[in-house]
Amino acid sequence: MLTYSEMLTLHHTALAETTRLIERAARGPLDLPTPCDEWDLAALLSHMIGQNRGFAAALGDGDADIALYAGPEVTPDCAVGAWAESATALREASARAQPDAPVHLAEFDAQVSATLALGMQLLDTAVHAWDVATAVGTTYRPDGATVAFVLESASAIAARPGGTPGVFEPPLTATGSDPWFAALRLLGRDPQPVA
């Protein structure tokens, strides 16, 4: 079980790694398909930016209007700046938050601890970094501690009756022993090597 401080360090690293992937993505077209059904790269980046903004506000104030989670229109010209601004806001809000502080998440109409909210964002950031990498034809694999955390979280999500509708796709059949690939499959992604 990770402490809040440990999770914070892993999340900051994941945000930095995602920034580098988005800088690469913004040099090309944003209408590329992604592993997220019905989302091209622009829509995926918009979602990621919106999540950063919403969670930053919720961690900072204990709550955030659901409208704050809505992502902006993303173009190659604004993608890097909008992402960087949202990532900075989330990084700063999570660094100030107290681990046991109550946080209301309007998207789910649920109250959780700041620790759980940060864990949700660690999983989301790492998995969506892989989505971005896959869309632009490269690979992404977080550090071992993040992989272990995402696998544990993904296993819990997949074990819920009915999964998590609207958040992740149904789990795929697990094959092989790679823990990162296993986590991705549990979240409905097919981690085939990039050709």
Side-chain angles (χ1 to χ4, degrees), residues 85-161:
E85 181 182 12
S86 72
T88 296
L90 180 55
R91 188 180 296 112
E92 292 176 351
S94 58
R96 291 192 304 266
Q98 295 300 308
D100 295 327
V103 177
H104 180 255
L105 300 178
E107 286 187 307
F108 307 103
D109 192 22
Q111 185 155 300
V112 301
S113 67
T115 297
L116 182 54
L118 180 59
M120 294 168 71
Q121 274 301 290
L122 175 57
L123 179 145
D124 213 48
T125 302
V127 173
H128 283 324
W130 181 85
D131 293 332
V132 173
T134 300
V136 299
T138 188
T139 59
Y140 172 71
R141 184 185 187 95
D143 59 80
T146 300
V147 169
F149 176 82
V150 173
L151 178 58
E152 181 180 2
S153 301
S155 298
I157 290 169
R160 294 174 188 164

